[in-house]
Amino acid sequence: SSQNLSEEFAEAARQLKKEAPRIQFGKIDVTHQHDLRKEFNIQAFPTVKFFVNGSREDPIDCKGVRKASAFITWVKRRTGPSTVLINSTDQAEAMIKAGELAVIGFFRELHNDSVEVFCETARDVPEMPFGMTASEDVCAHYGVQRNFLVVFKEGKPVHNEVLEDGRQSKLGLTRLIKTFTLDLVTEYNIETSVKIFDVPVENHILLFTPMNSETFNEIYENYQSAAAQFRGKILFVWVDTNEARNGRIFEYFRIRDIDVPAVRILNLTSEARYKMPADEVTVENLKEFCQSYLHGKAKQHLPSEEIPQDWDKMPVKVLVGKNFNSIIF
């Protein structure tokens, strides 16, 4: 909530006051400051912006940061080195074992475009430690070729990504790495919904099926297998249709009990929805559906009614497909 975020922001300010007194934290209620709101194009609350060198031009947006520790890391990485330079296997091991996740870039040399993209990505992912190395010993110890990014989860390598030839943009890498803060398939509920919307992947696929059905395990395994192939491009979410609190999300996708298991893709930016053409939830069908969507060949589904002109007039607001996402989330 805004209240929690405000408290975490204040806690970060308190902790950084001694460590980095030149970084000032401020809070503005823009409900009465219309000029400021317009100048900095404030559309959502709370919005956090970072101003550098006394200039009000082009402040940097701080998005998806919710904890004091992440605020502190985010600011430090903007004002100093964003990654730790690793010179020994011991150093690498210490970083890998310190928390649940760690990201290490293995490079031939520490001055090239790939390193720059890696360091820029580190600035935008303050939730996890980033290290980089050009040490032959360290690369040999992990059996990693140079110019590779490796994500370690719970001490083990779980993902390798080539960084050569500028194949990956900063945004692409940020999306990919942030997905590791979630499971491969995330169950949708009140607690996880905030995390789901914090990961900057705009394509979400949703599987609607009850946990207690006879075919659940098989369907879920197929869904997980497909999820591994589209990590960073499409976020895989599972919705338990037996959970009464998920009623609003069924309504949004117009899913009925008779329709399940059902699979839909939602693009968060356009709010366009797509229905998987096949009924069976197999790895092959899921793969085909995701690929046709990413290649722009999938057909949109479930047209929405128009937003009524007086939807906001009464205490109970009127929701239709077109305004559901922006109002509820």
Side-chain angles (χ1 to χ4, degrees), residues 190-211:
I190 291 161
E191 289 76 40
T192 61
S193 63
V194 171
K195 287 183 181 178
I196 289 168
F197 289 100
D198 270 351
V199 174
V201 176
E202 64 172 0
N203 306 313
H204 289 193
I205 187 168
L206 300 98
L207 166 67
F208 294 87
T209 192
M211 193 187 211

Side-chain angles (χ1 to χ4, degrees), residues 63-311:
K63 289 178 181 168
V65 177
R66 293 180 178 273
K67 294 265 175 252
S69 57
F71 271 122
I72 290 167
T73 305
W74 190 90
V75 168
K76 280 181 173 175
R77 287 182 186 177
R78 291 273 161 196
T79 53
S82 61
T83 57
V84 174
L85 185 58
I86 293 170
N87 294 314
S88 69
T89 304
D90 286 351
Q91 248 184 311
E93 280 297 291
M95 177 178 279
I96 290 162
K97 287 175 178 166
E100 191 194 355
L101 288 157
V103 182
I104 297 181
F106 296 84
F107 298 101
R108 282 194 199 90
E109 46 165 352
L110 293 178
H111 301 286
N112 60 31
D113 292 347
S114 303
V115 174
E116 208 170 299
V117 171
F118 181 78
C119 292
E120 280 179 14
T121 303
R123 287 194 186 104
D124 281 347
V125 190
E127 302 91 337
M128 54 186 93
F130 275 66
M132 64 179 182
T133 187
S135 155
E136 280 184 37
D137 292 349
V138 177
C139 293
H141 178 82
Y142 293 102
V144 178
Q145 293 173 1
R146 308 298 186 85
N147 278 30
F148 259 83
L149 171 155
V150 181
V151 179
F152 292 86
K153 193 165 188 172
E154 290 164 357
K156 296 186 183 76
V158 289
H159 185 82
N160 281 14
E161 189 72 22
V162 186
L163 290 174
E164 269 181 316
D165 311 326
R167 275 187 222 181
Q168 279 283 18
S169 66
K170 182 191 82 163
L171 184 59
L173 273 185
T174 303
R175 280 179 179 152
L176 175 73
I177 292 166
K178 280 213 175 199
T179 62
F180 286 95
T181 61
L182 296 172
D183 293 327
L184 205 47
V185 171
T186 306
E187 182 185 351
Y188 179 89
N189 57 41
I190 291 161
E191 289 76 40
T192 61
S193 63
V194 171
K195 287 183 181 178
I196 289 168
F197 289 100
D198 270 351
V199 174
V201 176
E202 64 172 0
N203 306 313
H204 289 193
I205 187 168
L206 300 98
L207 166 67
F208 294 87
T209 192
M211 193 187 211
N212 62 0
S213 77
E214 288 172 21
T215 55
F216 176 77
N217 287 346
E218 188 191 335
I219 286 172
Y220 191 82
E221 269 177 40
N222 291 345
Y223 198 60
Q224 264 194 318
S225 298
Q229 298 176 46
F230 293 96
R231 189 151 216 164
K233 295 185 178 79
I234 303 177
L235 207 60
F236 277 62
V237 178
W238 162 57
V239 183
D240 186 353
T241 54
N242 272 357
E243 173 54 69
R245 286 179 300 183
N246 290 337
R248 289 190 308 192
I249 204 161
F250 308 150
E251 221 171 272
Y252 176 57
F253 285 95
R254 302 196 190 170
I255 304 272
R256 302 160 302 169
D257 287 346
I258 196 173
D259 297 325
V260 301
V263 178
R264 301 282 188 273
I265 285 178
L266 170 68
N267 179 288
L268 295 190
T269 307
S270 66
E271 297 192 15
R273 283 160 283 172
Y274 304 80
K275 177 185 178 181
M276 186 165 80
D279 289 331
E280 282 185 66
V281 185
T282 64
V283 178
E284 205 44 55
N285 288 343
L286 286 163
K287 224 167 109 179
E288 213 169 287
F289 180 38
C290 291
Q291 274 166 349
S292 73
Y293 167 74
L294 291 172
H295 294 147
K297 290 177 182 169
K299 285 182 183 158
Q300 275 197 47
H301 183 63
L302 295 176
S304 167
E305 298 163 47
E306 290 306 313
I307 301 170
Q309 279 187 321
D310 58 351
W311 74 271

